[in-house]
Amino acid sequence: MFVVNFFKAAFEWLGFFQKSANIVFLGLDNAGKTTLLYMLQSDRFTQTDSTIHPHQAEVTIGNIRFNSYDLGGHLQARKTWREYCGQLDGIIFIIDSADRDRIAESKRELDSLLEMKELETVPFVVFGNKIDKKESLKEEELRDYLGLHYHQTYGKDSKQKNPGARPIEVFMCSVMKRVGYADGFQWLSNFIK
Ligand SMILES: Nc1nc2c(ncn2[C@@H]2O[C@H](COP(=O)(O)OP(=O)(O)OP(=O)(O)O)[C@@H](O)[C@H]2O)c(=O)[nH]1
Ligand SMILES: [Mg+2]
């Protein structure tokens, strides 16, 4: 057993057994999508302009190569989201948890994605970002607003999943402080075959 594990670890390290996955970063403008993608790419907090044109980047986390599309979140860009929703292995939906005035708008966008038949089996990671801000919502509050209570989501531990729940889970994070988002990607990884 030790020998098998040793070789598996060595192969993984060498990049064999690498899987790949197509994901999109969605969420309102100013939520932190581009900041997160740059953080995953370069491990740096980068200040950027609002995304006008979709941009694509590959980021490797663990043994998965995530082919990621960062789409703008402003109203006009949201109309293009659907075009990216075929052949997806996951959706990263980011919310600014400190912007209480726009939670309802976020919920509307999230709900319209959740209603799409073609996304029924696609795992959703919902990030409540910017928890470094003192006015940010607590996880329970965000779940209340979104109508995603603990018993309605998949479960953070994929081994103890809620029976019948679709693959969606909420993770609070701060891209700025580099906390929380790794758990979301770890959770998503369990769905990538
Ligand atoms: N305090 C705080 N600010 C953050 C965090 N993550 C992102 N921001 C800031 O939020 C603002 C918006 O971030 P972006 O990554 O450009 O947002 P976006 O979702 O890509 O927005 P669009 O491209 O317009 O759709 C920037 O000023 C970021 O620096 C965080 O964790 N904490
Ligand atoms: Mg952006």
Side-chain angles (χ1 to χ4, degrees):
M1 200 57 205
F2 168 77
V3 176
V4 172
N5 283 337
F6 174 80
F7 277 108
K8 187 162 181 291
F11 278 131
E12 274 173 2
W13 184 75
L14 287 168
F16 298 134
F17 293 148
Q18 203 183 42
K19 304 172 191 174
S20 60
N22 289 317
I23 58 173
V24 283
F25 285 39
L26 302 178
L28 304 186
D29 49 291
N30 205 48
K33 301 178 291 296
T34 307
T35 312
L36 174 59
L37 191 56
Y38 280 139
M39 183 60 94
L40 296 171
Q41 267 187 301
S42 66
D43 203 30
R44 279 208 307 268
F45 184 79
T46 317
Q47 194 71 40
T48 60
D49 290 334
S50 180
T51 308
I52 298 170
H53 304 293
H55 95 261
Q56 186 258 342
E58 282 197 352
V59 288
T60 301
I61 304 172
N63 66 334
I64 303 176
R65 198 175 63 241
F66 288 99
N67 179 30
S68 320
Y69 289 91
D70 169 24
L71 308 186
H74 52 94
L75 211 52
Q76 203 55 34
R78 284 180 222 164
K79 294 180 183 144
T80 67
W81 287 2
R82 267 176 190 271
E83 293 165 25
Y84 291 81
C85 288
Q87 299 298 308
L88 276 185
D89 301 295
I91 291 187
I92 306 294
F93 191 90
I94 310 183
I95 299 173
D96 178 346
S97 68
D99 191 351
R100 293 169 182 248
D101 295 342
R102 297 189 75 193
I103 300 293
E105 190 184 354
S106 274
K107 176 176 165 48
R108 270 199 304 279
E109 296 297 347
L110 178 60
D111 283 348
S112 69
L113 292 167
L114 291 173
E115 279 161 18
M116 285 169 63
K117 188 104 188 90
E118 57 269 48
L119 298 180
E120 229 168 39
T121 59
V122 174
F124 278 68
V125 178
V126 177
F127 280 129
N129 188 27
K130 309 196 189 180
I131 56 166
D132 54 282
K133 290 189 160 183
K134 63 175 188 323
E135 65 273 29
S136 67
L137 296 165
K138 297 278 165 290
E139 178 168 349
E140 286 75 10
E141 293 174 292
L142 182 64
R143 283 176 176 272
D144 274 350
Y145 279 118
L146 298 175
L148 292 175
H149 299 97
Y150 283 103
H151 66 279
Q152 289 164 315
T153 56
Y154 192 86
K156 297 201 188 198
D157 180 354
S158 54
K159 293 182 195 77
Q160 291 177 1
K161 74 182 205 86
N162 280 334
R166 68 185 283 171
I168 180 167
E169 195 46 74
V170 178
F171 294 87
M172 302 309 283
C173 72
S174 164
V175 178
M176 190 178 170
K177 297 279 181 205
R178 295 184 167 84
V179 294
Y181 52 84
D183 293 345
F185 281 95
Q186 179 66 49
W187 179 86
L188 179 60
S189 300
N190 291 319
F191 295 92
I192 314 290
K193 295 287 173 287

